[in-house]
Amino acid sequence: MKKKIITTMLATAMMAAGAINTYAANPLDGYDIMIYDQTTPAVFAAGKDWPITTWYFYDQAHNIIGSMSGKDSLTIAQQYESVNPDGRWEFWFPKVFNDYRGLDNSANSVLTVKAEENEVSSAEQWAMEVIKLTNAQRENHGLPPLEVDVELMKLAQTKAGEVSTKYSHERPDGTRVSKTHGCGENVGAKKSAEKQVTSWMSSEGHRTNLLLERYQSIGVGCYQAENGRTYWVQIFRP
C-alpha cells in the first residue's frame, strides 16, 4: 500500500558567506499533497479522467510519484497564473513538487526540456493539419482561406492546455476569448485532426464559426494530455 507522507515545510535560516537565506513559501504549502516517492524527480503532471478529480505527478518512466486534488491544482493555477503566463502547468507543477520535496530541479531540467520540445513539435504539426483541413472546407464552400496568425496560434495553444483541465469556453480566470480578444472559438476533443474538423462541420454552431466569411485569420492549438486524450482549440479573427 502506498503510504502518504506528510511533510511540514518550516522556515529556516542558513548562514552562507556571511549572508542569511530564508525559506520561501512553496505554492503547495498548506494543501493535501500525497508523496509516494521522496527522491525521484517529477517531470510531468496531469489528470487522468474527466472531470479531473486528481492531479498526478509523474517521473521520467511515467510512474506516479505523487498527487493532489484536481480542485486544489486549479486553485493554485489561478493564484499563480501571473508567474506562468504560458499556462504550461504540466511542466510548472513538477518543478514546484520537486521543490516541495527539497529536490534540485536542475537535475531533471534537460529531461523536462526534451519532453516539452517533442510535445510542442507534434502539437504544431497537428495544429497545422487542422488549419489545412479547415481551409479546404472553406474553399469547398467558395470562401477564401484563413491566414495563420502567430498571436492566435500562441493563444490557441495556451487555451488547449486550459481546456484539458476545464473543458469550457470559459478560461480558468473566468474570462472568455470571445470577449477579451473579440475572436470566434471552437473547442473539441477528438482523436485526430480529420475527425475533429469533421465533428466541427457536423455541429451547427462550430460549422458557422468555421465558415464565417468575415473571418480572415486563424490560430489552432493542440494539446495531448497524459491520459492520451487530445484537446483542440480553434480561434478566428476578422
Side-chain angles (χ1 to χ4, degrees):
M1 177 182 295
K2 293 178 177 177
K3 181 179 179 181
K4 176 179 179 181
I5 303 175
I6 303 177
T7 60
T8 304
M9 306 300 289
L10 300 175
T12 61
M14 298 178 63
M15 186 68 70
I20 297 178
N21 296 322
T22 57
Y23 172 75
N26 183 284
L28 301 184
D29 286 348
Y31 292 92
D32 190 14
I33 308 300
M34 302 288 288
I35 302 176
Y36 310 136
D37 185 321
Q38 185 68 44
T39 60
T40 303
V43 299
F44 194 82
K48 284 187 173 183
D49 306 304
W50 185 262
I52 294 175
T53 56
T54 305
W55 192 253
Y56 296 95
F57 300 101
Y58 296 85
D59 65 13
Q60 183 63 21
H62 302 288
N63 297 311
I64 295 175
I65 58 176
S67 65
M68 65 185 300
S69 78
K71 181 179 179 180
D72 285 347
S73 68
L74 180 58
T75 298
I76 294 172
Q78 293 173 335
Q79 182 180 0
Y80 287 87
E81 185 175 14
S82 62
V83 300
N84 187 32
D86 292 334
R88 303 306 300 274
W89 302 107
E90 68 274 24
F91 295 109
W92 182 85
F93 267 112
K95 294 178 181 178
V96 172
F97 182 59
N98 289 340
D99 181 66
Y100 181 78
R101 293 177 295 154
L103 302 183
D104 183 0
N105 276 302
S106 63
N108 70 312
S109 60
V110 174
L111 296 176
T112 302
V113 169
K114 287 183 178 179
E116 184 173 2
E117 288 177 345
N118 289 336
E119 181 188 353
V120 171
S121 178
S122 297
E124 289 177 348
Q125 292 176 8
W126 296 335
M128 293 306 296
E129 180 65 18
V130 164
I131 293 175
K132 176 182 176 181
L133 293 170
T134 296
N135 279 333
Q137 289 290 345
R138 289 178 63 87
E139 291 174 6
N140 287 341
H141 288 80
L143 299 170
L146 300 169
E147 296 291 332
V148 177
D149 185 301
V150 175
E151 180 184 347
L152 292 186
M153 291 293 286
K154 293 180 179 178
L155 177 60
Q157 186 60 39
T158 297
K159 183 65 193 300
E162 294 172 353
V163 169
S164 72
T165 60
K166 181 180 181 180
Y167 194 81
S168 170
H169 287 292
E170 185 177 86
R171 306 187 71 180
D173 63 1
T175 64
R176 289 175 179 260
V177 169
S178 59
K179 294 185 179 298
T180 59
H181 293 76
C183 298
E185 179 186 60
N186 285 339
V187 171
K190 297 300 180 183
K191 292 184 178 181
S192 68
E194 183 177 4
K195 289 183 178 180
Q196 186 56 72
V197 173
T198 298
S199 175
W200 282 332
M201 287 297 293
S202 301
S203 166
E204 183 177 356
H206 296 104
R207 176 188 173 95
T208 297
N209 269 340
L210 200 146
L211 299 179
L212 202 60
E213 187 172 4
R214 70 186 181 89
Y215 287 146
Q216 298 181 12
S217 55
I218 186 175
V220 173
C222 174
Y223 177 85
Q224 188 170 40
E226 181 68 13
N227 63 0
R229 190 173 187 184
T230 303
Y231 297 88
W232 308 85
V233 171
Q234 198 175 41
I235 298 178
F236 309 92
R237 180 152 55 193

